Amino acid sequence: MTASSPETVRAGGADLAAPQLLQARELTRQFGRGRTAVQALRGVSLDLTPGQVLAVRGRSGSGKTTLLNILGGLDLPTGGSVRINGQDLGTMSDRQRVLLRRTTVGFVFQSFGLIPFLTAAENAGVPLRISRAEARARDERVMRVLDLVGLTDHAEHQPAELSGGQQQRVAIARALAQSPQILIADEPTGHLDTAQGLRILGLLRQIADSEGTSIVLSSHDKRVVDFADTVLNLHDGQVRGDLRASPTAP
Ligand SMILES: Nc1ncnc2c1ncn2[C@@H]1O[C@H](COP(=O)(O)OP(=O)(O)O)[C@@H](O)[C@H]1O
Ligand SMILES: [Mg+2]
């Protein structure tokens, strides 16, 4: 579980070494042109293996959201590449990228993004409705992900009846509905108090360990070090050294 590892050995198109789940190489992202251009990323490379928790830390404006959006295929880099399961996102069609986001990557945001008039169970099931999963399979999966996030008892509650931490759990359940290999969480604790934030970080760690889901999360919180395998410090769009953290039991 390192932030960078040797290139995978290829022979006859097959990976001999354990395949990297995600490889990002020399990512750059420029917004705007000319005098108002902003270099949000300046050459970021990282690797992600199954079950790894990678925390991206940095001040506001350091490029965390830009990086996470590019890793998950929501945005394309100006330069560099992202490969997921060996497939280069830059050469995919828009349609293929949409499919990838639906099946391989799950997103969690700071602001939860739940639909207010749906229950926790209905919110968690939204991706399965979009993909037209069969009703029974959908219900089973929804119960499983609500159980994973510890919300079985709140399945019928609407977001307004839940605490911030519980709402974020619903959002995590929704992100897990399609059994993604990668969960991308952009400041998932940003709107939570200290105790609820810690519990969410502990939950993400637990999901990585029990489900083998790889997690990329951003935070400006020092405590993420305790929950991540790797911490990447971003500074003005550049990595200021990554360090391997030793995960502690939450
Ligand atoms: N869509 C955009 N258009 C122009 N500038 C942007 C856009 N998105 C981000 N930026 C700029 O890129 C830099 C990095 O932003 P961001 O990735 O949101 O950082 P963080 O998530 O660490 O706060 C900032 O200077 C921000 O203003
Ligand atoms: Mg951000």
Side-chain angles (χ1 to χ4, degrees), residues 56-57 64 108-112 164-165 168-169 172 185-205 217-224 227:
V56 180
R57 271 183 56 193
K64 302 183 297 297
V108 171
F109 303 99
Q110 186 172 353
S111 53
F112 321 138
Q168 192 58 298
R169 282 167 193 271
I172 292 169
D186 193 6
E187 309 230 18
T189 63
H191 283 174
L192 301 177
D193 64 35
T194 305
Q196 293 197 26
L198 274 175
R199 285 201 289 273
I200 289 296
L201 292 174
L203 172 64
L204 292 172
R205 176 76 251 175
L217 67 95
S218 73
S219 178
H220 42 245
D221 193 327
K222 285 194 168 68
R223 298 168 308 172
V224 292
F227 298 89

Coordinates of all heavy atoms in Angstrom, one line a residue, residues 56-57 64 108-112 164-165 168-169 172 185-205 217-224 227:
V56 N -6.3 12.9 0.8 CA -5.7 14.0 0.2 C -6.0 15.2 1.1 O -7.1 15.6 1.4 CB -6.3 14.3 -1.2 CG1 -5.7 15.5 -1.9 CG2 -6.2 13.0 -2.1
R57 N -4.9 15.7 1.6 CA -5.0 16.9 2.5 C -4.5 18.1 1.8 O -3.6 18.1 1.0 CB -4.2 16.6 3.8 CG -5.0 15.9 4.8 CD -4.2 15.7 6.1 NE -3.7 17.0 6.6 CZ -2.8 17.2 7.5 NH1 -2.2 16.1 8.1 NH2 -2.4 18.4 7.9
K64 N -7.8 19.9 -4.2 CA -8.3 18.6 -3.7 C -9.5 18.2 -4.6 O -9.6 17.1 -5.1 CB -8.7 18.7 -2.2 CG -7.6 19.0 -1.3 CD -8.0 19.0 0.2 CE -9.1 20.0 0.5 NZ -8.6 21.4 0.3
V108 N -19.1 10.7 -2.8 CA -19.8 11.2 -1.6 C -19.3 12.7 -1.5 O -18.1 12.9 -1.7 CB -19.3 10.4 -0.3 CG1 -19.8 11.1 0.9 CG2 -19.9 9.0 -0.4
F109 N -20.2 13.6 -1.2 CA -19.9 15.0 -1.2 C -20.1 15.6 0.2 O -20.9 15.0 1.0 CB -20.7 15.8 -2.2 CG -20.5 15.3 -3.6 CD1 -21.4 14.4 -4.2 CD2 -19.4 15.6 -4.3 CE1 -21.2 13.9 -5.5 CE2 -19.2 15.1 -5.6 CZ -20.1 14.3 -6.2
Q110 N -19.5 16.7 0.5 CA -19.6 17.4 1.7 C -21.0 17.7 2.1 O -21.4 17.6 3.3 CB -18.8 18.7 1.6 CG -18.7 19.6 2.8 CD -17.7 20.7 2.5 OE1 -17.1 20.8 1.5 NE2 -17.7 21.6 3.5
S111 N -21.8 18.0 1.1 CA -23.2 18.5 1.4 C -24.2 17.4 1.3 O -25.4 17.6 1.1 CB -23.5 19.6 0.4 OG -23.3 19.1 -0.9
F112 N -23.8 16.1 1.3 CA -24.7 14.9 1.3 C -25.4 14.7 0.0 O -25.4 13.7 -0.6 CB -25.6 14.9 2.5 CG -25.1 15.4 3.8 CD1 -25.8 16.3 4.6 CD2 -23.8 15.1 4.2 CE1 -25.3 16.7 5.8 CE2 -23.3 15.6 5.4 CZ -24.1 16.4 6.2
G164 N -26.7 15.2 10.8 CA -25.8 15.4 9.7 C -25.0 14.1 9.5 O -24.8 13.7 8.3
G165 N -24.5 13.5 10.6 CA -23.7 12.3 10.4 C -24.5 11.2 9.8 O -24.0 10.4 9.0
Q168 N -25.0 11.8 6.1 CA -23.8 11.4 5.4 C -23.7 9.9 5.3 O -23.2 9.3 4.2 CB -22.5 12.0 6.0 CG -21.2 11.9 5.2 CD -21.4 12.6 3.8 OE1 -22.2 12.2 3.0 NE2 -20.6 13.6 3.6
R169 N -24.1 9.2 6.3 CA -24.2 7.7 6.2 C -25.1 7.2 5.0 O -24.8 6.3 4.3 CB -24.6 7.1 7.5 CG -23.6 7.0 8.5 CD -24.1 6.7 9.9 NE -23.1 7.0 10.9 CZ -22.2 6.2 11.3 NH1 -22.2 4.9 10.9 NH2 -21.2 6.5 12.1
I172 N -23.3 7.7 1.9 CA -22.3 6.7 1.7 C -23.0 5.4 1.3 O -22.5 4.7 0.4 CB -21.4 6.5 3.0 CG1 -20.6 7.7 3.3 CG2 -20.6 5.2 2.9 CD1 -19.9 7.8 4.6
A185 N -14.6 10.5 -1.8 CA -15.4 11.3 -0.8 C -14.7 12.6 -0.7 O -13.6 12.7 -0.1 CB -15.4 10.6 0.5
D186 N -15.3 13.7 -1.2 CA -14.7 15.0 -1.1 C -15.2 15.7 0.1 O -16.3 16.1 0.3 CB -15.2 15.8 -2.4 CG -14.3 17.1 -2.6 OD1 -13.4 17.3 -1.8 OD2 -14.7 17.9 -3.5
E187 N -14.3 15.9 1.1 CA -14.6 16.5 2.4 C -15.8 16.0 3.0 O -16.7 16.7 3.3 CB -14.7 18.0 2.2 CG -13.5 18.6 1.5 CD -12.8 19.8 2.2 OE1 -13.1 20.0 3.4 OE2 -12.1 20.5 1.5
P188 N -15.9 14.7 3.2 CA -17.1 14.1 3.7 C -17.4 14.5 5.2 O -18.6 14.3 5.6 CB -16.8 12.5 3.7 CG -15.3 12.4 3.8 CD -14.8 13.7 3.0
T189 N -16.4 15.0 5.9 CA -16.7 15.5 7.2 C -16.8 17.0 7.3 O -16.9 17.5 8.4 CB -15.5 15.0 8.2 OG1 -14.3 15.6 7.7 CG2 -15.4 13.5 8.1
G190 N -16.8 17.7 6.2 CA -16.7 19.1 6.2 C -17.9 19.8 6.9 O -17.7 20.9 7.5
H191 N -19.1 19.2 6.8 CA -20.2 19.8 7.5 C -20.6 19.1 8.8 O -21.8 19.3 9.2 CB -21.4 19.7 6.5 CG -21.3 20.8 5.4 ND1 -22.2 20.8 4.3 CD2 -20.5 21.8 5.2 CE1 -21.9 21.8 3.5 NE2 -20.8 22.4 4.0
L192 N -19.7 18.4 9.3 CA -20.0 17.6 10.5 C -19.3 18.1 11.7 O -18.2 18.6 11.6 CB -19.8 16.1 10.3 CG -20.5 15.5 9.1 CD1 -20.0 14.0 9.0 CD2 -22.0 15.6 9.3
D193 N -19.8 17.9 12.9 CA -19.0 18.2 14.1 C -18.0 17.2 14.4 O -17.9 16.2 13.7 CB -20.0 18.4 15.4 CG -20.7 17.1 15.8 OD1 -20.0 16.0 15.6 OD2 -21.8 17.2 16.2
T194 N -17.1 17.4 15.3 CA -15.9 16.6 15.5 C -16.3 15.1 15.7 O -15.7 14.3 15.0 CB -15.1 17.1 16.7 OG1 -14.9 18.5 16.5 CG2 -13.8 16.4 16.9
A195 N -17.2 14.9 16.6 CA -17.5 13.5 16.9 C -18.1 12.8 15.7 O -17.7 11.6 15.4 CB -18.5 13.4 18.1
Q196 N -19.1 13.4 15.0 CA -19.7 12.8 13.9 C -18.7 12.6 12.8 O -18.7 11.6 12.1 CB -20.9 13.6 13.4 CG -22.0 13.7 14.4 CD -23.3 14.2 13.8 OE1 -23.5 14.0 12.6 NE2 -24.2 14.7 14.6
G197 N -17.8 13.6 12.6 CA -16.8 13.5 11.6 C -15.9 12.3 11.8 O -15.5 11.5 10.9
L198 N -15.5 12.1 13.1 CA -14.6 10.9 13.4 C -15.3 9.6 13.1 O -14.7 8.7 12.6 CB -14.2 11.0 14.9 CG -13.0 11.8 15.2 CD1 -12.9 11.9 16.8 CD2 -11.8 11.3 14.6
R199 N -16.6 9.6 13.4 CA -17.3 8.3 13.1 C -17.4 8.0 11.6 O -17.4 6.9 11.2 CB -18.7 8.4 13.8 CG -18.6 8.2 15.3 CD -19.9 7.7 15.9 NE -20.9 8.8 15.9 CZ -21.1 9.7 16.9 NH1 -20.3 9.7 17.9 NH2 -22.0 10.6 16.8
I200 N -17.6 9.1 10.9 CA -17.6 8.9 9.4 C -16.3 8.4 8.9 O -16.2 7.5 8.1 CB -18.1 10.2 8.7 CG1 -19.5 10.5 8.9 CG2 -17.8 10.1 7.2 CD1 -20.5 9.5 8.4
L201 N -15.2 9.0 9.4 CA -13.9 8.5 9.0 C -13.7 7.0 9.4 O -13.1 6.2 8.6 CB -12.8 9.4 9.6 CG -12.7 10.8 9.1 CD1 -11.7 11.6 9.9 CD2 -12.4 10.8 7.6
G202 N -14.1 6.7 10.6 CA -14.0 5.3 11.0 C -14.9 4.4 10.2 O -14.4 3.2 9.8
L203 N -16.0 4.8 9.8 CA -16.9 4.0 8.9 C -16.2 3.8 7.5 O -16.2 2.7 7.0 CB -18.2 4.7 8.7 CG -19.2 4.1 7.7 CD1 -19.6 2.7 8.1 CD2 -20.4 5.0 7.5
L204 N -15.6 4.8 7.0 CA -15.0 4.7 5.7 C -13.8 3.7 5.8 O -13.6 2.8 4.9 CB -14.5 6.0 5.1 CG -15.6 7.0 4.8 CD1 -15.0 8.4 4.4 CD2 -16.4 6.5 3.6
R205 N -13.1 3.8 6.8 CA -12.0 2.8 7.1 C -12.5 1.4 7.1 O -12.0 0.4 6.5 CB -11.3 3.2 8.4 CG -10.2 2.2 8.8 CD -8.9 2.4 8.0 NE -8.7 1.3 7.1 CZ -7.7 1.3 6.2 NH1 -6.9 2.3 6.1 NH2 -7.5 0.3 5.4
L217 N -10.3 10.1 -0.1 CA -11.0 11.2 0.5 C -10.2 12.4 0.7 O -9.0 12.3 0.8 CB -11.6 10.7 1.9 CG -10.6 10.4 3.0 CD1 -10.5 11.6 3.9 CD2 -11.1 9.2 3.8
S218 N -10.8 13.5 0.7 CA -10.1 14.8 0.9 C -10.6 15.4 2.2 O -11.7 15.1 2.7 CB -10.4 15.8 -0.2 OG -11.7 16.3 -0.1
S219 N -9.7 16.1 2.8 CA -10.0 16.7 4.1 C -8.9 17.7 4.4 O -7.8 17.6 3.9 CB -10.0 15.6 5.2 OG -10.3 16.2 6.4
H220 N -9.2 18.7 5.2 CA -8.2 19.5 5.7 C -8.0 19.2 7.2 O -7.4 20.0 7.9 CB -8.4 21.0 5.5 CG -9.8 21.5 5.7 ND1 -10.5 22.0 4.7 CD2 -10.5 21.6 6.8 CE1 -11.7 22.3 5.2 NE2 -11.7 22.1 6.4
D221 N -8.5 18.1 7.6 CA -8.5 17.7 9.0 C -7.2 16.8 9.2 O -7.0 15.8 8.5 CB -9.7 16.8 9.3 CG -10.0 16.6 10.7 OD1 -9.0 16.5 11.5 OD2 -11.1 16.5 11.1
K222 N -6.5 17.1 10.3 CA -5.3 16.4 10.6 C -5.6 14.9 11.0 O -4.8 14.0 10.8 CB -4.6 17.0 11.8 CG -3.8 18.3 11.5 CD -2.8 18.6 12.6 CE -1.9 19.7 12.3 NZ -2.5 21.0 12.0
R223 N -6.8 14.7 11.5 CA -7.1 13.4 12.1 C -7.2 12.3 11.0 O -7.2 11.1 11.3 CB -8.4 13.4 12.9 CG -8.3 14.3 14.1 CD -9.7 14.6 14.6 NE -10.6 15.0 13.5 CZ -11.9 15.1 13.7 NH1 -12.5 14.9 14.8 NH2 -12.7 15.5 12.7
V224 N -7.3 12.7 9.7 CA -7.5 11.6 8.7 C -6.2 10.7 8.7 O -6.3 9.6 8.2 CB -7.6 12.2 7.2 CG1 -9.0 12.9 7.1 CG2 -6.5 13.1 6.9
F227 N -6.7 7.3 9.9 CA -7.7 6.4 9.2 C -7.2 6.0 7.8 O -7.8 5.1 7.2 CB -9.0 7.1 9.1 CG -9.7 7.4 10.4 CD1 -9.4 8.6 11.1 CD2 -10.5 6.4 11.0 CE1 -10.0 8.8 12.3 CE2 -11.1 6.7 12.3 CZ -10.8 7.9 12.9

